[in-house]
Amino acid sequence: MSDKIKVGISIGDVNGIGLEIIIKTLADSKIYDYCTPIVYGHTKVASFHRRATQVSELNFQVINDPSQVHYRKPNMINCWEEDVKIEPGLVTEAGGKYALISLERATYDLKEGYIDALVTAPINKDNIQSENFNFPGHTEYLQQRDGAAESLMFLVSDTLRVGVVTGHIPISKVAESITTEKIIAKLKLMNSSLQNDFWIRKPKIAVLGLNPHASDNGLIGSEEKDVIIPAIEEARNNDVLAFGPYPADGFFANGTYLQFDAVLAMYHDQGLIPFKQIAFESGVNFTAGLTFVRTSPDHGTAYDIAGKNMASEISFREALFTAIHIVKHRKEGKELNENPLLFTKLSRDRD
């Protein structure tokens, strides 16, 4: 069983719903047919949330590092020694402090290859800020840790995949941040991820406009003509099947998105609002373009229901299985590329 995929799990804010959805997910014994989960947190904190979720049969096996995993059981690495005051639903300094400790330890093991993938439970982007975390969110932090020049916030589900050109930036900065070069880079990254991570041979990508009605031929802004259309044309010259720009409202309202393998939105809410409306419970946030695999549920800390045993684990479970599938696709793709069939030119002559 040593070849079973090891999935690291960071716990997020201890006062949010992170551990609740983790515990509910790992209570399903079928999970262990597909992976070996390793939670980065502390058993005392987990016990608090386990009592709140009334999942008495789940017992974490405490290990020091991923080499000691117990297969077909949930594993826990205790990332600190001190007691933590847990206050469900409250934004506290402790919530951010221990979320970061969990994330840092899990990311270290991920980069070192001790685990095969990372699933991150929700953090509070405010209280996690510190000398070691000065980022708008997980995506930017993990891109920096990976040393990647570019990454893509890629929201995925069975019916819809949406990436964004600009991520966690103020809406007032969006237009000036969108360049032809940036759109091309995101399209290439999305195309590569669709091929290598999701095994779609010739993906079709829809590109949304920035302005209302995709500018109505320049009547409402010039970004489509000056920036977006040139990017689409250049991408197509590089074998990326990109189409558009499409007005965002009608594109989602009339189901045009179903004709494409993925959609590239210009900014965060343009893509994430329709995605969460269409695929909220089954949606997964995947950070494409990194050397390692990271996914997360497509929701936040949900302080309003924390500690009340009301949180749904569906999105977290989907994030776990998406990570497993992508790891398998990458491994199988690597094996196929390492041993390709030899090309032999056929002769016109016959025996």
Side-chain angles (χ1 to χ4, degrees), residues 38-51:
I38 305 170
V39 180
Y40 291 78
H42 199 284
T43 47
K44 288 185 178 179
V45 178
S47 295
F48 177 95
H49 287 279
R50 190 182 63 182
R51 289 192 296 272

Side-chain angles (χ1 to χ4, degrees), residues 145-297:
R145 290 295 304 270
D146 192 43
E150 194 70 73
S151 67
L152 177 71
M153 185 190 299
F154 206 7
L155 282 293
V156 300
S157 72
D158 290 339
T159 57
L160 177 61
R161 302 180 187 90
V162 176
V164 292
V165 177
T166 59
H168 298 115
I169 64 172
I171 196 72
S172 61
K173 302 289 186 182
V174 168
E176 66 186 56
S177 301
I178 293 173
T179 64
T180 297
E181 293 73 23
K182 192 171 187 66
I183 295 172
I184 292 170
K186 296 292 186 180
L187 283 169
K188 288 181 177 179
L189 202 159
M190 178 180 281
N191 187 69
S192 176
S193 179
L194 290 168
Q195 292 175 330
N196 299 319
D197 299 328
F198 298 93
W199 280 25
I200 300 172
R201 187 166 175 265
K202 290 186 177 181
K204 292 173 59 182
I205 301 173
V207 181
L208 301 182
L210 172 65
N211 296 296
H213 309 295
S215 86
D216 267 344
N217 293 320
L219 292 175
I220 315 173
S222 61
E223 285 83 3
E224 282 73 14
K225 178 183 177 182
D226 296 340
V227 178
I228 300 174
I229 292 175
I232 293 171
E233 292 173 347
E234 180 63 22
R236 290 176 69 90
N237 290 335
N238 285 275
D239 297 322
V240 177
L241 296 180
F243 302 86
Y246 294 95
D249 54 354
F251 179 84
F252 289 106
N254 62 23
T256 305
Y257 67 89
L258 295 170
Q259 301 173 23
F260 295 91
D261 297 299
V263 181
L264 183 65
M266 291 298 109
Y267 57 95
H268 185 280
D269 283 12
Q270 184 188 51
L272 269 66
I273 288 175
F275 180 86
K276 291 188 176 184
Q277 178 65 30
I278 293 167
F280 182 67
E281 281 211 325
S282 61
V284 173
N285 184 0
F286 166 51
T287 307
L290 305 183
T291 58
F292 47 70
V293 176
R294 175 263 173 167
T295 64
S296 74

Side-chain angles (χ1 to χ4, degrees), residues 80-92:
W80 57 83
E81 295 299 326
E82 65 272 22
D83 290 334
V84 178
K85 185 178 182 181
I86 304 170
E87 301 175 274
L90 297 183
V91 180
T92 67

